[in-house]
Amino acid sequence: DDGTKVFTNVTNEGPVFVYVKDGRIVRVEPLKLSPEDPESWTIEARGRRFSPPRKALVPSYVLAERARVYSPKRVLYPMKRVDFDPNKKDRKAENRGKSEYERITWDEALDILEQEITRMHKTYGPGAIGTTSSSHHSWGVIGYRLSSYFRFIDILGVTYADHNPDSWEGALWGSVHMYGFNWGVGVPEQNDLLTDALQNTDMIVLWSADPETTLGTYAGYETNPWRQWLKELGVKFVIIDPFYNYTAVNFADKWIAPKPGTDTALAAAIAYVWIKEGTYDKWFVENRTVGFDKFSDYIMGKEDGTPKTPEWAEKITGVPAREIRALAREWARKRTMLGYGSRPGMGSAGRSAYGHEWARYMVALQAMQGVGKPGVNWWSTSAGSPNTHNVPEDSNPYGFFFPGYGDGGISGDTTNTGAARILPRGFVRIPVSDRVNQPGGQHVLRLLLPEAIMNPPVEWRGKGFNTISIESQFKKYKYPEDGYSEIRMFWRYGAAYIGTMTDTNRWVRMYRSPKLEFVVNQNPWFEGEAKFADLVLPACTSFERWDIGEFSNISGQSVESVQFVNHRIIALQMKAIEPLGESRADYDIFAMVAKRLGFYEKYTEGGMTLLDWVRRFYEKSDLSKYISWEEFKRRGYFVVPVKKRPITPALRWFYEGRRRDTVGAGPAGGGVMGMPDGTGLGTQSGKIEFEANSLKRFDPNDPERPPVPHYIPAWEGPDTPHAKKYPLQLMSPHARYSFHTQYDAKDTWIDEIPEHRRRGPDGYLYRVIRVNPVDAGPRGIKDGDLVKVYNDRGTVICIAEVTERIRPGTVHCYQASAAYDPMGEPGESPDRGGVINLLTPHRFLSKNADGMAPSSAMVEVERWEGS
Amino acid sequence: MTRYGMVIDVSKCNACYNCVSACKDEFWGNDYPPYSKAQPKFGQQWVRVDRKERGHFPFIDVSYMPVLCQMCKDPPCAKAAKDGAVYVREDGIVMIDPEKSKGQKQIVDACPYGAIYWNEELQIPQKCTFCAHRVDKGLLPRCVDACPTGAMLFGDIDDPNSEVGRIARSNGEPYRSETTKVLYVGKPEAYEPKPGVGPGVLYIDLYRMTKMFIAGSVALKDSDDLVDGASVSLLSGGREISKTSTDGFGQFKFDALEPGKYTVVVEHPGYRALRMDVEVSESTYLGYLFLEKQ
Ligand SMILES: Nc1nc2c(c(=O)[nH]1)N[C@H]1C(S)=C(S)[C@@H](COP(=O)(O)OP(=O)(O)OC[C@H]3O[C@@H](n4cnc5c(=O)[nH]c(N)nc54)[C@H](O)[C@@H]3O)O[C@H]1N2
Ligand SMILES: Nc1nc2c(c(=O)[nH]1)N[C@H]1C(S)=C(S)[C@@H](COP(=O)(O)OP(=O)(O)OC[C@H]3O[C@@H](n4cnc5c(=O)[nH]c(N)nc54)[C@H](O)[C@@H]3O)O[C@H]1N2
Ligand code: SF4
Ligand code: SF4
Ligand code: SF4
Ligand SMILES: [Ca+2]
Ligand SMILES: [Ca+2]
Ligand SMILES: [Mo+4]
């Protein structure tokens, strides 16, 4: 009515309406369904009917998108470090992180890129160009990193810094050896578990899980109503977490707070009570598992002379034995769902020293209670709605396929993405693959990138998420690979790693190493690693470019992720405004570089624009059977109808000994993977393996990861030498009020949320660290005081919140600060930005499990008087 | 006559801060004459989220509640205003006139809820407007629209058939909302740090923020096991005011209490009853109460 236009878009946490007036975004609201949109599903349970609210339940930071788009921190023009001269041999690497920047034109930027890329190929050969993205990205299947960025680097030929399975370290290096599900990075199938829980469950144990904070990864608060319905039905919630987390606030009937890293001992004591009192599902253990006798020998002390009694566990965990006994008896008495991590397989407890042992105990406990029977499963209240399956309608009448980001978008790279799902359907006409970033080529583990650059060679096991098979994680790799060049140029796509990797002063030192002759950074905001680049390329946000995406649709290794939300909502991500300044969509940046390097036609499949790709993905998906392009472009979004389909709860087939009837990757039967008749899991025996055959094949005598899961004290914890100087355990879980770094320190009102950042006396917005009064008192620390948090790895300045919500002896500070802000020499001085990952160890879970373990960190905290 | 009001369920608030963020998005850089001038990006939260921690490790609870202008029936801010700088609309919405209120800093301190902020740059007092510019067009306030848990309900509190009207008049019987699809249980009450202002915002389960609890865990001395189903009663002035039984972790909790002297009596078949006098000034967890065999 007043000239305001309404567009649609999809963020990492849900779809939105975007209001634009006179070329300026004036409002971003949660998308709401209209009466014409299809009916929502209804679940009948215990005499009641449950149906979800008809709007996208996005979080606080999605409502701050406008302030992020117009943030003064945006990179608006290509920029060059003033003391970087591409025509000089001395690149002044030691000044990275300190020098100023100057604006340059896109032509000058492309000249530098063309010259350096050509020089790398000619002077050093394949492998010289290193690159990596972050684990995450803005939403949209065309612009996503596995799509536009992968298509570009695959054609270019690069040494890719492969990602460790950060979200699922415990499950990938542990649980898969007991129950398979390697194709899901250790996450067990979740089909229809909301229906099963509402109808059958009595109690839910959330162990190192906080769904009210971690939002089902990409699903916003969609599952909050689910937890309210469960509470309404009288289901009890037990929260096992050293921090009284945000799910506890509304739902905890019981809070149990073990010392971080001691959860495995707590779990072993629960198993002890069940075996001693005979309160486990003996039939299931007998018929659906192997190796229980060896497991029982360890638990009851036959193997090592130490029965894992509640009294034994009390000394380790700090949880009284009588509480452990009560928990074990409640769990045995009631039909219990176990959520280990915000989706089973996740959890900071698994991102810690020997985290694979904790994850395996989570598998063991539910195996002892007959997992798969009504109401008993692995489930964190964050998956399993009765939405239509994300499989092609022509292969399953209850399906409706739209690609998720995991399907690799326009890359078609079947090695490094789930592109095999979409290639046969014509989404990508010229699929690409990288002749360097292959298992037979050269890649490097990102956790070791600083060591690889500064001090090669390095060795490790596994490539990426290791989903192809259980055994793929055993394979050893080295860098540099025979016949390939070391990395000399580093193109960083994204800028988060000082905030999200571990022991990150190493990354600062890496950037300042002359071994890196040329560093490029491509990011929408001038923050983090962007401040260490020689050349900064301004990427625009997803409000300034075209794309298309579906709410919480991962696909790839998580086929059922469309069942983490209440409605399947596919929306056009409309270009609402022109890119600010001279920022560009990443696809267009790559296309410009491709043109200079002679592969524009191949990269763009003959000149396709972003909107052309959006149109093709609309056409090749099931969307085009339901709504015309014109109507879809007019409305902006489409809600997939709920197809009344049979309810097939996860693992019910396995419990009942039937062929698998759940939609998902699953073991295809035949050969080693599961039973040929399709009734088994993806393990050698097809059963749950208390004694893992795969680990017996690999190394039956690995004390750090034995075939039978053991409690192994952390290599950095309250009982190790570190504790003398650094007595407090540091927890650094995922940030509640941002998606990792993506909404932090961008000059938005998010930074004034006092549980995220608080203003110090100097007006600076410091990250909050939570300290129990028992620890704060003797250190003279009061609520609101600035404190120095430190160990041998670094020093970070935070603002203290003195609270009973964190157990004594432990402090809590969210990871993923976007604002590395050294007060002196980068890499060697205190950081004011709250980058707590400067303090976390970069040691792996264990000798042969090359994952990140940031949760095992010891620190000291002191009042900080300033400079 | 329409009187716009809100019902807020403290037990549903999870401190997501959507209300704060949505309000910022609606008003930052956006004037809505004649009702309001733009809200600055920092320094003001026309709805804020208060937090209350009760008890001590390892037995605590934490609650949050949004606090915005309560649209008082008898608004102290209006009394402090001059030249009609504050007026009350027919629908009960209390408005600060962004022109007439220029320079009137005294209005800020008149609000017992701390819901008015001083805009230094524009030299005007500012506060929540119940999104009058949206409500006039039949839209929900942005905070209510963005609240993902159903903690905030908005409507005509004088209409017995509106959701807020029905809940405001209820005695706390369970009510499932057709819009938020979740259940509301508990009699709403006014939050009145300064009595008599007649707020148009009512809170369910306000006790979590304003009252105290007495809790404990009952265990058996002989087995050291926590007791499921022991009966526990709470006496005040010799009179039993509440009775409950312990859960599977031996826990009991009496809530919505005022500070003062109480007696806790624990009984369990086969064990001697346990009486414990306790004087409390804040929420208190008594720890483990051990029952001796008969
Ligand atoms: N201590 C501790 N550390 C942890 C964890 C923990 O539990 N504890 N968890 C780990 C886990 S599970 C994860 S997943 C990682 C996450 O760590 P990251 O994935 O590194 O975190 P993000 O902030 O999501 O990184 C996204 C980056 O991409 C950039 N970006 C986003 N969209 C675009 C775009 O469209 N174009 C361009 N050019 N750039 C874009 C963003 O600006 C940002 O720099 O953190 C890990 N680190
Ligand atoms: N808002 C928001 N949501 C997110 C993300 C985000 O950055 N912000 N990141 C997304 C991503 S990539 C992932 S992988 C998931 C992560 O999902 P998770 O891995 O489940 O999340 P975490 O925060 O690592 O841990 C969950 C809980 O474990 C507790 N915890 C930490 N250490 C221990 C321990 O040693 N023992 C026990 N018992 N508990 C412990 C923490 O207090 C926290 O409440 O979240 C996703 N969702
Ligand atoms: S939006 Fe709702 S749940 Fe979130 S903080 Fe505000 S009132 Fe509480
Ligand atoms: S709450 Fe404060 S600002 Fe609102 S009407 Fe009452 S006195 Fe005025
Ligand atoms: S009603 Fe409107 S002005 Fe008031 S707090 Fe909510 S969003 Fe802000
Ligand atoms: Ca059970
Ligand atoms: Ca209630
Ligand atoms: Mo992750």
Side-chain angles (χ1 to χ4, degrees):
Chain A
D1 42 18
D2 62 357
T4 300
K5 286 195 240 123
V6 184
F7 297 93
T8 52
N9 213 305
V10 189
T11 69
N12 265 307
E13 300 289 352
V16 289
F17 291 130
V18 183
Y19 293 75
V20 175
K21 190 164 183 248
D22 308 329
R24 186 173 173 76
I25 301 175
V26 290
R27 182 175 305 108
V28 175
E29 282 183 357
L31 186 142
K32 284 168 276 302
L33 273 64
S34 75
E36 304 92 51
D37 287 320
E39 222 189 307
S40 309
W41 43 259
T42 297
I43 296 176
E44 297 187 25
R46 307 184 225 201
R48 301 180 188 212
R49 295 168 58 81
F50 299 103
S51 179
R54 288 170 67 81
K55 73 177 175 185
L57 304 178
V58 302
S60 60
Y61 44 84
V62 165
L63 299 160
E65 284 282 12
R66 186 160 73 92
R68 198 173 72 130
V69 170
Y70 294 119
S71 166
K73 302 217 167 154
R74 279 286 299 272
V75 183
L76 295 175
Y77 311 97
M79 295 194 297
K80 188 183 79 59
R81 192 162 58 95
V82 293
D83 50 357
F84 167 78
D85 183 341
N87 303 318
K88 287 214 180 88
K89 206 161 175 349
D90 177 3
R91 298 300 176 82
K92 300 270 193 270
E94 69 283 2
N95 291 340
R96 289 186 185 127
K98 295 203 303 189
S99 352
E100 294 302 313
Y101 286 82
E102 60 188 351
R103 174 180 175 177
I104 59 173
T105 66
W106 268 108
D107 269 347
E108 286 167 315
L110 292 168
D111 290 345
I112 297 172
L113 285 166
E114 184 181 354
Q115 171 199 305
E116 286 298 289
I117 289 170
T118 311
R119 186 173 70 80
M120 287 293 149
H121 281 311
K122 287 207 163 64
T123 315
Y124 300 108
I129 301 174
T131 183
T132 196
S133 68
S134 264
S135 301
H136 297 278
H137 193 270
S138 51
W139 207 251
V141 290
I142 309 298
Y144 204 79
R145 67 184 183 88
L146 299 176
S147 177
S148 298
Y149 165 72
F150 258 40
R151 187 173 183 85
F152 176 74
I153 63 173
D154 282 4
I155 301 172
L156 190 63
V158 297
T159 298
Y160 183 66
D162 240 314
H163 295 178
N164 54 300
D166 42 22
S167 309
W168 314 271
E169 300 288 14
L172 191 274
W173 304 103
S175 307
V176 299
H177 298 294
M178 286 187 83
Y179 63 21
F181 293 113
N182 48 286
W183 54 86
V185 210
V187 176
E189 61 178 35
Q190 294 287 281
N191 312 66
D192 291 325
L193 289 180
L194 174 59
T195 303
D196 183 32
L198 286 172
Q199 291 174 347
N200 302 309
T201 294
D202 308 316
M203 182 167 95
I204 295 174
V205 175
L206 289 176
W207 201 317
S208 186
D210 184 8
E212 288 294 333
T213 289
T214 52
L215 309 172
T217 312
Y218 305 116
Y221 288 104
E222 291 280 290
T223 60
N224 172 276
W226 305 3
R227 287 180 285 281
Q228 293 199 51
W229 300 338
L230 290 164
K231 189 178 171 100
E232 179 188 328
L233 290 169
V235 175
K236 295 293 174 218
F237 282 75
V238 176
I239 308 287
I240 303 179
D241 189 333
F243 171 56
Y244 190 84
N245 63 40
Y246 286 90
T247 303
V249 168
N250 303 123
F251 300 105
D253 293 296
K254 179 66 186 176
W255 177 36
I256 293 176
K259 292 180 190 176
T262 66
D263 299 85
T264 310
L266 177 57
I270 292 170
Y272 175 89
V273 172
W274 292 347
I275 294 173
K276 190 144 193 313
E277 298 178 353
T279 48
Y280 65 95
D281 190 328
K282 297 187 186 65
W283 171 86
F284 185 90
V285 164
E286 186 56 38
N287 294 284
R288 294 289 183 270
T289 81
V290 297
F292 183 73
D293 45 7
K294 290 272 185 52
F295 174 75
S296 180
D297 288 349
Y298 170 70
I299 294 293
M300 305 313 281
K302 235 167 152 193
E303 181 200 299
D304 62 0
T306 307
K308 310 306 177 299
T309 63
E311 289 68 21
W312 164 81
E314 173 172 352
K315 291 196 223 49
I316 298 167
T317 63
V319 177
R322 63 180 73 89
E323 300 278 356
I324 300 173
R325 279 197 303 274
L327 172 60
R329 289 167 183 155
E330 279 288 278
W331 192 327
R333 257 202 301 273
K334 291 181 157 75
R335 286 171 303 183
T336 300
M337 288 290 194
L338 171 61
Y340 75 103
S342 299
R343 275 193 282 125
M346 290 177 159
S348 274
R351 237 166 271 129
S352 54
Y354 311 115
H356 39 69
E357 300 308 283
W358 168 70
R360 287 203 283 167
Y361 269 87
M362 296 300 100
V363 176
L365 291 183
Q366 284 301 73
M368 290 178 75
Q369 291 301 327
V371 65
K373 66 184 165 191
V376 176
N377 226 298
W378 293 289
W379 186 63
S380 307
T381 72
S382 54
S385 73
N387 279 344
T388 300
H389 297 302
N390 191 29
V391 292
E393 199 175 40
D394 54 28
S395 71
N396 180 330
Y398 304 114
F400 177 105
F401 180 67
F402 189 82
Y405 70 71
D407 300 325
I410 70 171
S411 74
D413 178 342
T414 50
T415 310
N416 299 299
T417 79
R421 277 196 89 196
I422 62 171
L423 284 187
R425 311 189 80 81
F427 285 90
V428 180
R429 295 207 182 102
I430 313 172
V432 294
S433 72
D434 186 337
R435 54 188 163 71
V436 179
N437 183 25
Q438 293 287 341
Q442 170 166 283
H443 74 286
V444 63
L445 178 64
R446 75 175 165 183
L447 294 177
L448 290 175
L449 188 60
E451 284 69 30
I453 299 292
M454 295 188 284
N455 194 11
V458 290
E459 280 189 356
W460 69 94
R461 292 181 188 278
K463 179 174 188 336
F465 286 2
N466 299 293
T467 54
I468 192 105
S469 66
I470 291 177
E471 290 69 27
S472 58
Q473 65 180 259
F474 297 144
K475 177 139 182 42
K476 241 186 182 167
Y477 293 91
K478 70 175 188 301
Y479 164 91
E481 262 301 349
D482 302 335
Y484 285 88
S485 160
E486 282 183 47
I487 293 171
R488 304 284 179 191
M489 162 183 163
F490 185 55
W491 189 325
R492 178 58 169 108
Y493 182 71
Y497 278 164
I498 298 173
T500 58
M501 283 300 107
T502 47
D503 194 358
T504 49
N505 273 318
R506 297 157 47 237
W507 284 76
V508 177
R509 288 193 292 272
M510 171 190 89
Y511 276 116
R512 307 180 71 198
S513 157
K515 293 286 289 291
L516 289 180
E517 298 172 20
F518 176 43
V519 176
V520 190
N521 190 287
Q522 184 171 330
N523 198 54
W525 298 275
F526 191 55
E527 59 186 359
E529 294 166 85
K531 295 183 167 183
F532 289 85
D534 302 321
L535 179 66
V536 184
L537 304 177
C540 70
T541 72
S542 54
F543 294 85
E544 300 154 79
R545 63 177 173 82
W546 279 98
D547 213 323
I548 186 168
E550 177 177 358
F551 190 12
S552 182
N553 187 344
I554 303 169
S555 190
Q557 92 276 6
S558 182
V559 166
E560 329 108 287
S561 69
V562 297
Q563 294 167 350
F564 300 170
V565 291
N566 291 314
H567 304 92
R568 288 191 57 182
I569 303 172
I570 300 166
L572 273 174
Q573 298 186 215
M574 298 172 174
K575 179 175 179 174
I577 55 172
E578 287 305 315
L580 301 189
E582 293 184 355
S583 67
R584 296 278 188 281
D586 296 297
Y587 175 82
D588 297 328
I589 294 174
F590 294 132
M592 286 193 287
V593 181
K595 186 166 278 181
R596 290 294 196 95
L597 298 173
F599 58 87
Y600 173 81
E601 289 303 320
K602 181 171 186 183
Y603 179 69
T604 61
E605 282 198 6
M608 298 258 287
T609 66
L610 276 171
L611 189 54
D612 294 333
W613 281 106
V614 168
R615 180 75 189 263
R616 186 189 291 171
F617 270 58
Y618 151 79
E619 269 154 15
K620 299 299 177 187
S621 75
D622 286 335
L623 197 52
S624 45
K625 296 199 202 102
Y626 281 77
I627 183 170
S628 70
W629 173 250
E630 290 65 30
E631 181 61 4
F632 182 55
K633 231 184 150 192
R634 191 185 63 73
R635 290 191 88 238
Y637 72 95
F638 175 77
V639 179
V640 177
V642 179
K643 299 189 176 181
K644 205 94 188 60
R645 60 174 174 75
I647 293 297
T648 55
L651 294 166
R652 181 80 85 258
W653 56 274
F654 176 68
Y655 181 82
E656 293 172 352
R658 293 184 279 111
R659 281 182 63 81
R660 185 166 68 86
D661 59 1
T662 49
V663 167
V672 173
M673 289 282 281
M675 308 249 192
D677 58 8
T679 61
L681 299 177
T683 56
Q684 179 176 316
S685 63
K687 299 186 176 183
I688 293 173
E689 301 191 348
F690 282 94
E691 184 190 30
N693 280 303
S694 48
L695 292 178
K696 276 173 30 179
R697 276 185 264 118
F698 171 65
D699 180 358
N701 305 310
D702 175 357
E704 298 197 12
R705 188 175 52 173
V708 173
H710 281 54
Y711 166 65
I712 307 168
W715 31 255
E716 180 169 337
D719 307 315
T720 63
H722 312 80
K724 279 195 215 49
K725 279 170 61 183
Y726 310 117
L728 297 170
Q729 292 187 261
L730 168 69
M731 293 172 65
S732 50
H734 288 218
R736 186 163 201 239
Y737 300 99
S738 175
F739 193 88
H740 295 294
T741 68
Q742 298 193 32
Y743 293 86
D744 176 48
K746 308 252 193 311
D747 204 57
T748 77
W749 47 78
I750 293 298
D751 288 340
E752 267 198 337
I753 294 177
E755 315 222 335
H756 183 63
R757 285 181 181 269
R758 283 165 64 174
R759 282 197 198 283
D762 53 7
Y764 187 91
L765 282 160
Y766 292 90
R767 295 275 283 209
V768 169
I769 184 161
R770 292 171 174 84
V771 190
N772 188 289
V774 160
D775 301 311
R779 293 174 172 81
I781 296 171
K782 296 182 309 309
D783 191 82
D785 281 353
L786 295 184
V787 291
K788 189 173 98 157
V789 192
Y790 64 99
N791 56 23
D792 289 344
R793 292 182 279 266
T795 301
V796 179
I797 311 304
C798 294
I799 192 160
E801 176 185 303
V802 179
T803 170
E804 297 281 346
R805 290 181 74 167
I806 183 71
R807 64 156 294 124
T810 304
V811 292
H812 172 289
C813 179
Y814 289 129
Q815 63 107 8
S817 160
Y820 177 54
D821 186 3
M823 302 175 65
E825 197 61 20
E828 284 134 31
S829 61
D831 155 63
R832 249 187 4 160
V835 177
I836 210 69
N837 263 321
L838 289 166
L839 309 182
T840 55
H842 75 281
R843 182 172 170 174
F844 293 148
L845 273 63
S846 62
K847 162 165 68 125
N848 295 308
D850 298 352
M852 72 195 311
S855 305
S856 303
M858 301 304 290
V859 294
E860 178 56 286
V861 179
E862 281 171 17
R863 279 168 56 96
W864 183 68
E865 303 310 335
S867 58
Chain B
M1 262 303 294
T2 301
R3 185 189 181 202
Y4 286 120
M6 285 191 188
V7 168
I8 292 173
D9 189 343
V10 172
S11 294
K12 292 185 175 12
C13 180
N14 67 5
C16 67
Y17 273 83
N18 276 24
C19 46
V20 175
S21 194
C23 184
K24 283 284 181 184
D25 181 55
E26 184 69 15
F27 290 93
W28 172 59
N30 295 331
D31 290 345
Y32 299 106
Y35 294 145
S36 55
K37 289 231 161 74
Q39 182 182 156
K41 187 192 283 191
F42 295 115
Q44 302 188 9
Q45 290 184 341
W46 291 359
V47 53
R48 67 173 191 268
V49 179
D50 283 1
R51 181 179 74 206
K52 177 75 176 173
E53 278 183 26
R54 303 189 305 170
H56 294 282
F57 182 86
F59 192 101
I60 67 170
D61 63 30
V62 179
S63 304
Y64 293 91
M65 84 178 193
V67 178
L68 64 172
C69 168
Q70 308 279 294
M71 299 304 168
C72 305
K73 225 191 185 75
D74 181 14
C77 58
K79 293 199 181 76
K82 295 197 293 286
D83 324 327
V86 174
Y87 59 97
V88 183
R89 295 178 11 151
E90 273 175 34
D91 55 19
I93 296 181
V94 181
M95 299 291 281
I96 300 179
D97 183 312
E99 301 305 333
K100 293 181 183 166
S101 60
K102 210 159 180 69
Q104 297 197 39
K105 199 164 186 180
Q106 83 286 358
I107 293 177
V108 174
D109 307 328
C111 174
Y113 298 91
I116 306 178
Y117 298 84
W118 183 251
N119 185 321
E120 198 54 45
E121 196 199 325
L122 302 177
Q123 289 290 302
I124 55 171
Q126 295 185 291
K127 73 171 185 65
C128 156
T129 65
F130 258 9
C131 281
H133 66 286
R134 290 174 57 92
V135 169
D136 289 353
K137 291 187 279 183
L139 299 170
L140 281 175
R142 278 297 304 278
C143 52
V144 178
D145 172 64
C147 178
T149 66
M152 296 183 96
L153 295 174
F154 172 84
D156 178 358
I157 209 152
D158 280 354
D159 171 4
N161 297 319
S162 74
E163 282 196 331
V164 291
R166 184 194 306 246
I167 297 175
R169 284 164 183 74
S170 82
N171 253 315
E173 317 84 58
Y175 169 81
R176 188 184 305 282
S177 154
E178 250 324 290
T179 45
T180 66
K181 309 284 185 177
V182 287
L183 205 65
Y184 298 80
V185 185
K187 184 170 176 38
E189 57 187 295
Y191 168 50
E192 289 194 285
K194 175 169 178 253
V197 294
V201 177
L202 300 175
Y203 291 89
I204 294 175
D205 292 346
L206 182 60
Y207 67 85
R208 287 180 67 118
M209 299 292 294
T210 58
K211 297 285 193 310
M212 290 173 8
F213 69 68
I214 293 177
S217 303
V218 179
L220 304 178
K221 192 123 184 66
D222 52 315
S223 63
D224 192 46
D225 282 338
L226 293 164
V227 185
D228 185 356
S231 85
V232 191
S233 36
L234 186 69
L235 289 72
S236 169
R239 197 172 43 77
E240 181 181 287
I241 58 170
S242 188
K243 192 174 180 82
T244 184
S245 68
T246 59
D247 67 14
F249 293 94
Q251 293 176 146
F252 66 87
K253 183 180 186 182
F254 298 107
D255 212 331
L257 303 175
E258 296 289 345
K261 290 196 175 78
Y262 297 89
T263 304
V264 172
V265 179
V266 185
E267 290 158 309
H268 191 57
Y271 289 81
R272 284 210 302 278
L274 180 147
R275 291 178 68 89
M276 189 178 206
D277 295 325
V278 55
E279 177 158 9
V280 290
S281 57
E282 57 165 12
S283 291
T284 304
Y285 173 60
L286 301 173
Y288 296 110
L289 309 182
F290 289 95
L291 300 184
E292 309 257 351
K293 254 223 180 298
Q294 203 81 47

